[in-house]
Amino acid sequence: MPQPVTVGRLPAVNHEEIQERAARVFARVREAAERAGRDPSVVELLPITKGHGASILEAVAAAGFDRVGENRVAEADAKRGSLTGLDLEWCMVGHVQRNKAARVIRVFDRIESVDSLRLASKLSAEVEKADRAALPVLVQVNASGEASKGGFPVEAGPARVAEVCELPGLRVEGLMTMAPFVDDEELLRSVFRRTRELNDRCRLEIEGYAGEVLSMGMSNDFELAVEEGSTELRLGTILVGKRPGQ
Ligand SMILES: *Cc1c(COP(=O)(O)O)cnc(C)c1O
């Protein structure tokens, strides 16, 4: 049996409120993009529904989103199993244990948190074993140097990302990073900037690497991420409300 997760609970916010919240976020995205001379239309929002019951996914879909992000495979599996008729792309944004690789590719359509070559190799092997099309993934980068954070060290440069790109079962669409939970604007900026610079170098140095997706920015730091080049914001709290217990 899957773990008893929060499947049955009423959503914290309904689809109208999600639309209003998204409109306010988009207005702030436009202003941030303008400050940086960027085109705001390339920035997408990925609602992160972890910690909420399955009904939040219905509200998110009704609000017009076609993708969601979750960070635990058991929780996502239970929610996905309890929902029918929802046409959503499920994105994994949390750490994946290698022994869950087979399950994770069954539950998720896309993995944004490929944080080691060993995990990447295992995922690729499982995709091939399942005879599936190459799985879209992002390579997670550790650009803050925090020992507690997973990911490819940004200092390792494009060579390490290139090794993931060579795996036949994966299609690397770009990079993902998580900034530390701090208020230090310069530190946050440097994390985002270093990730963008690595992506630019990968584009130059890795053949066939398009690197069109840069997933950076969460509820508390998304404007800085937009100013520094993000194309995807992973937004939980600000879009779908606080998680129970948060
Ligand atoms: C939870 C989570 C988010 C969203 O966090 P908020 O601060 O609620 O926006 C984004 N990315 C990852 C990897 C997460 O685990």
Side-chain angles (χ1 to χ4, degrees):
M1 279 294 287
Q3 309 227 315
V5 288
T6 51
V7 166
R9 206 180 281 142
L10 283 174
V13 293
N14 65 23
H15 76 273
E16 281 167 358
E17 177 157 4
I18 294 173
Q19 282 172 334
E20 283 161 21
R21 285 166 173 250
R24 287 197 291 272
V25 168
F26 272 125
R28 290 169 61 183
V29 167
R30 271 194 298 277
E31 283 170 23
E34 221 159 82
R35 285 195 291 277
R38 296 188 62 215
D39 173 5
S41 71
V42 303
V43 182
E44 282 192 47
L45 312 189
L46 174 62
I48 305 295
T49 48
K50 69 179 184 207
H52 292 277
S55 53
I56 198 76
L57 291 134
E58 292 168 318
V60 163
F65 288 95
D66 55 9
R67 302 192 307 156
V68 290
E70 289 272 337
N71 73 336
R72 286 171 53 223
V73 63
E75 179 180 335
D77 199 359
K79 286 179 186 171
R80 195 165 186 173
S82 77
L83 295 163
T84 49
L86 274 194
D87 195 13
L88 287 170
E89 185 183 37
W90 290 66
C91 305
M92 177 58 161
V93 299
H95 175 63
V96 178
Q97 290 166 286
R98 278 182 303 132
N99 63 6
K100 300 227 175 91
R103 188 175 181 194
V104 97
I105 68 160
R106 192 166 44 70
V107 175
F108 289 94
D109 306 299
R110 169 187 169 84
I111 299 176
E112 303 210 337
S113 43
V114 174
D115 56 10
S116 71
L117 183 59
R118 290 173 82 205
L119 171 64
S121 304
K122 178 79 174 140
L123 289 169
S124 176
E126 291 294 342
V127 168
E128 293 210 287
K129 202 158 99 189
D131 206 14
R132 280 181 38 177
L135 183 73
V137 301
L138 302 180
V139 169
Q140 184 173 348
V141 170
N142 181 343
S144 66
E146 289 170 288
S148 63
K149 285 230 162 65
F152 289 70
V154 82
E155 301 79 23
R160 298 280 305 279
V161 179
E163 291 177 319
V164 181
C165 295
E166 278 164 20
L167 296 167
L170 308 183
R171 192 177 78 238
V172 179
E173 295 185 334
L175 306 182
M176 178 275 233
T177 202
M178 274 177 89
F181 288 102
V182 295
D183 284 335
D184 183 343
E185 186 178 316
E186 268 320 302
L187 178 61
L188 293 169
R189 271 189 200 285
S190 80
V191 164
F192 297 141
R193 192 178 305 136
R194 283 150 59 84
T195 305
R196 188 201 55 217
E197 285 167 358
L198 176 59
N199 197 46
D200 291 343
R201 283 184 60 201
C202 289
R203 281 174 151 155
L204 288 174
E205 294 175 29
I206 305 173
E207 213 186 301
Y209 178 88
E212 69 269 33
V213 182
L214 253 187
S215 179
M216 343 189 268
M218 306 178 20
S219 293
N220 59 333
D221 58 19
F222 71 90
E223 286 156 302
L224 292 174
V226 169
E227 289 182 30
E228 296 299 334
S230 175
T231 70
E232 178 187 277
L233 310 175
R234 303 181 311 273
L235 301 177
T237 325
I238 201 166
L239 262 194
V240 296
K242 282 197 170 166
R243 300 175 273 281
Q246 191 185 10

